[in-house]
Amino acid sequence: MLQNLSLVSLALPYRGVPVAEQMQPMPADDFVGDIAGLDHKDILLLDQQKKAVGWIPYQTIVQSCFEQLKNRTAQSDALLDAVDEAVTITDSKGCLIGWNHNADRLYHYTEKKAFGQPITRYFKREALVLLSVLKDGKKILRKYNQPAPHVHVLINCIPIILNKKIIGAISVEKNINDMVKLNEELFSSTSYIHHLENRLDRQHHLGAFYKIKGRSPALHAAVNLAKKVAETEASVLLIGESGVGKELFAEAIHQSGKRACAPFVAVNCGAIPSELFESELFGYERGAFTGALIQGKKGRIDVAQGGTLFLDEIGEMPMELQVKLLRVLQEKKYYRVGGNQAIPMNVRIIAATNQNLKKLIAEKRFRADLYYRLNVVSIRIPSLRERIEDIPQLVQIYLHTFAVKYQKPIPKIDPDVMVRLLQYDWPGNIRELRNTIERLMILLDGERVTDALLPDLLTGSDDSSSHAKLPPNHLSQKIDREMIQTALTKTFGNKSAAAKLLGISRATLYNRLKKIL
């Protein structure tokens, strides 16, 4: 907001001249912008007790307003030049009264021809969002629009209001032609790219990271670091939200390393009940406990010997197991449950988490020494929100995948649908995007994907009841199959989000899933 000049800053001391009755009284704490009209009168400033505290000659007010007008004009011109988007300003009748260089480049305005002309001279009336804003006074934010052939924009449009009257409107439009063009190019080239990838795959020319799709700098940085660490035997900690592809990274690191021909074994630390975790990880000897298999059982470390053990959701590992895992990592040997013979461990460890392990350490829920043992090299995998430029490519890949799966032609994506996909914050990341595209392909009947097929989350038209949280005070034993399924559906299978929705811990959710499924 621009500064408003105070009347006090312009005032002279009042000593009875001119006569008070011949001046226009105004509160001393008002501003120049508060002056409604002067009728060629000087101004008398009054304090809260109606006592005269100063006066302003009429000529001073006129000169001040003139200077303010020049300043505001210079500021407005500088602001228009500084904005990357196209800016168009109209009066209350919809006539052009201002624009910036970007608007000129996008719509080919020229000062002599356009100024004062109706904006409908340049655009079809039905394509003008600005006219509806002038009519009803309601601002429009981040709306996709195609105001002219081959021009695609994301528009913010608000009314200009003075004294409760609409005196004009201003439209700020972001050019998204490149994004729309990229979407169309991806549509036409996706089949060919997949054909080439299949050929390369058959000829074994693809690297281990080829399944990780995207060209964003954030993703490239993570992939490059993963490629470097893959050549070593160092422990790796993958950090990222649910659904970003941590296991995909772990597999790629394994496949690019020296252990590629050995097993890759994944363990979800949050899915195994704490009572069974030790035997699942280390295995057990025959007769180790009641219910044990007669011949004993190999643990996940046994299975992964010579290869890689991927400990997903490491933050969910029980504290008592953290101690034992730390000892195994330090001594490079382990004991099966019920056994007394040390078994050498020849396994590379890759761990992953979507939690803040340092915070868990501060809360005494995760061991600091285990954290530093696992965190030789940490790789942060960016969320989908941080690499939205990859969304068009991922959309086309999944469209192709599910078109083949459901035996449908690959559809085209309407530009406004792609805009909505780019605007959504994707709490479920790649997994949620993939599920969304599969849903679109299942519902699709024609050859184009329109916003009518989008889920309510993406259109913003969902009602509050469809997203309302489940009652927070439910005890875990009262949560049934239907409630869990509802929570998982709402969160696109994101178990962390589903647990929060149900008001329980993620470990409790896993335990309930094992009991009811």
Side-chain angles (χ1 to χ4, degrees):
M1 181 176 292
L2 296 174
Q3 185 179 8
N4 200 348
L5 190 64
S6 67
L7 294 177
V8 171
S9 65
L10 303 175
L12 300 173
Y14 182 66
R15 300 186 176 89
V17 178
V19 178
E21 287 74 12
Q22 298 176 352
M23 293 190 288
Q24 178 174 319
M26 288 192 68
D29 55 0
D30 274 7
F31 296 88
V32 171
D34 296 323
I35 300 174
L38 289 178
D39 196 23
H40 294 83
K41 289 184 177 181
D42 300 326
I43 291 178
L44 180 66
L45 298 182
L46 305 176
D47 61 15
Q48 294 181 352
Q49 287 74 38
K50 304 300 181 181
K51 179 181 177 182
V53 294
W55 74 289
I56 308 173
Y58 173 77
Q59 187 60 34
T60 301
I61 290 293
V62 173
Q63 183 64 30
S64 173
C65 290
F66 181 67
E67 291 296 328
Q68 283 282 88
L69 176 61
K70 290 197 299 182
N71 289 340
R72 293 294 173 87
T73 301
Q75 292 164 352
S76 299
D77 290 342
L79 179 61
L80 289 174
D81 286 339
V83 174
D84 289 334
E85 289 77 18
V87 180
T88 302
I89 308 171
T90 68
D91 60 17
S92 60
K93 297 179 180 178
C95 295
L96 288 165
I97 58 173
W99 59 87
N100 65 355
H101 295 303
N102 288 320
D104 196 356
R105 283 193 290 267
L106 190 60
Y107 299 126
H108 308 292
Y109 296 139
T110 57
E111 186 172 352
K112 292 181 179 179
K113 292 183 179 180
F115 193 85
Q117 294 294 325
I119 194 170
T120 50
R121 175 177 176 177
Y122 288 86
F123 307 99
K124 293 182 179 179
R125 181 174 292 273
E126 61 270 17
L128 285 171
V129 175
L130 191 144
L131 292 182
S132 67
V133 172
L134 284 174
K135 181 179 179 180
D136 57 30
K138 294 181 180 179
K139 62 183 179 181
I140 294 175
L141 300 177
R142 299 185 65 79
K143 177 181 175 62
Y144 167 78
N145 192 33
Q146 189 176 0
H150 311 298
V151 177
H152 305 266
V153 297
L154 203 58
I155 183 171
N156 289 342
C157 190
I158 61 173
I160 304 172
I161 299 175
L162 180 63
N163 297 328
K164 299 182 179 181
K165 292 183 179 180
I166 298 175
I167 63 170
I170 183 168
S171 173
V172 181
E173 300 168 11
K174 183 176 182 179
N175 185 348
I176 56 171
N177 284 336
D178 290 342
M179 184 199 70
V180 174
K181 182 180 178 181
L182 175 61
N183 180 42
E184 296 296 332
E185 289 177 351
L186 283 170
F187 167 76
S188 61
S189 62
T190 297
S191 297
Y192 179 64
I193 291 173
H194 276 272
H195 171 68
L196 291 179
E197 285 186 341
N198 289 335
R199 289 182 59 188
L200 287 170
D201 191 31
R202 287 194 297 268
Q203 297 172 11
H204 305 289
H205 288 171
L206 286 178
F209 288 86
Y210 83 98
K211 290 183 180 179
I212 301 173
K213 305 297 184 182
R215 303 173 183 176
S216 63
L219 184 66
H220 270 199
V223 169
N224 289 337
L225 180 55
K227 287 180 178 178
K228 289 181 180 179
V229 76
E231 301 171 358
T232 72
E233 290 290 300
S235 297
V236 181
L237 179 62
L238 302 175
I239 303 170
E241 298 176 6
S242 293
V244 296
K246 296 188 288 295
E247 185 165 350
L248 204 60
F249 265 77
E251 289 181 357
I253 291 172
H254 167 74
Q255 292 169 7
S256 334
K258 300 175 182 178
R259 300 174 179 266
C261 296
F264 173 85
V265 178
V267 179
N268 191 316
C269 299
I272 303 174
S274 57
E275 298 82 4
L276 301 179
F277 203 111
E278 184 175 1
S279 61
E280 285 292 322
L281 191 60
F282 303 116
Y284 57 81
E285 297 290 350
R286 56 187 300 178
F289 51 86
T290 303
L293 296 175
I294 297 176
Q295 69 274 23
K297 180 183 177 182
K298 287 186 176 182
R300 305 294 177 89
I301 294 180
D302 289 292
V303 178
Q305 284 285 24
T308 300
L309 182 67
F310 176 52
L311 299 174
D312 197 9
E313 300 188 27
I314 189 70
E316 298 291 340
M317 179 176 282
M319 284 292 288
E320 60 270 21
L321 261 295
Q322 293 179 29
V323 177
K324 295 183 179 181
L325 177 61
L326 175 64
R327 185 174 179 181
V328 168
L329 296 178
Q330 290 173 337
E331 299 179 1
K332 299 296 182 182
K333 58 185 180 182
Y334 64 100
Y335 295 83
R336 293 197 180 105
V337 176
N340 52 20
Q341 181 179 356
I343 304 173
M345 185 187 76
N346 178 23
V347 171
R348 181 182 190 174
I349 300 294
I350 299 178
T353 183
N354 61 3
Q355 301 186 66
N356 186 336
L357 292 185
K358 290 186 177 180
K359 182 180 178 182
L360 294 183
I361 291 171
E363 296 172 352
K364 307 297 184 184
R365 295 166 55 196
F366 199 86
R367 292 185 62 91
D369 42 7
L370 178 58
Y371 170 77
Y372 292 115
R373 176 68 64 172
L374 295 171
N375 190 25
V376 176
V377 177
S378 62
I379 301 175
R380 183 182 175 277
I381 304 173
S383 64
L384 193 54
R385 311 185 278 288
E386 296 170 282
R387 54 186 191 103
I388 60 173
E389 59 267 48
D390 290 339
I391 290 178
Q393 180 187 5
L394 293 170
V395 167
Q396 294 298 335
I397 290 171
Y398 294 141
L399 283 175
H400 182 278
T401 299
F402 293 115
V404 172
K405 179 177 179 179
Y406 296 109
Q407 299 181 353
K408 292 183 177 182
I410 302 173
K412 287 189 175 183
I413 296 279
D414 280 354
D416 53 341
V417 173
M418 184 59 69
V419 169
R420 292 187 183 279
L421 294 175
L422 291 170
Q423 289 178 336
Y424 184 56
D425 63 1
W426 299 109
N429 292 291
I430 306 295
R431 183 186 297 120
E432 183 180 359
L433 175 63
R434 191 177 191 277
N435 290 350
T436 299
I437 300 305
E438 183 173 14
R439 175 187 186 275
L440 294 178
M441 287 302 302
I442 290 172
L443 299 178
L444 182 68
D445 291 323
E447 297 180 353
R448 298 191 71 88
V449 177
T450 66
D451 58 4
L453 296 175
L454 292 175
D456 292 337
L457 275 173
L458 293 172
T459 61
S461 60
D462 56 315
D463 56 41
S464 58
S465 62
S466 67
H467 259 319
K469 285 191 175 183
L470 297 176
N473 295 325
H474 275 290
L475 297 176
S476 61
Q477 60 266 30
K478 294 183 179 179
I479 296 175
D480 57 20
R481 179 197 298 265
E482 184 178 352
M483 294 170 65
I484 291 177
Q485 186 60 47
T486 299
L488 289 173
T489 300
K490 289 182 178 179
T491 60
F492 294 87
N494 185 324
K495 293 184 178 63
S496 297
K500 291 180 180 178
L501 198 63
L502 292 165
I504 59 176
S505 70
R506 188 163 48 175
T508 302
L509 175 60
Y510 280 123
N511 289 335
R512 295 298 300 160
L513 282 171
K514 293 181 75 67
K515 290 180 180 179
I516 66 177
L517 297 180

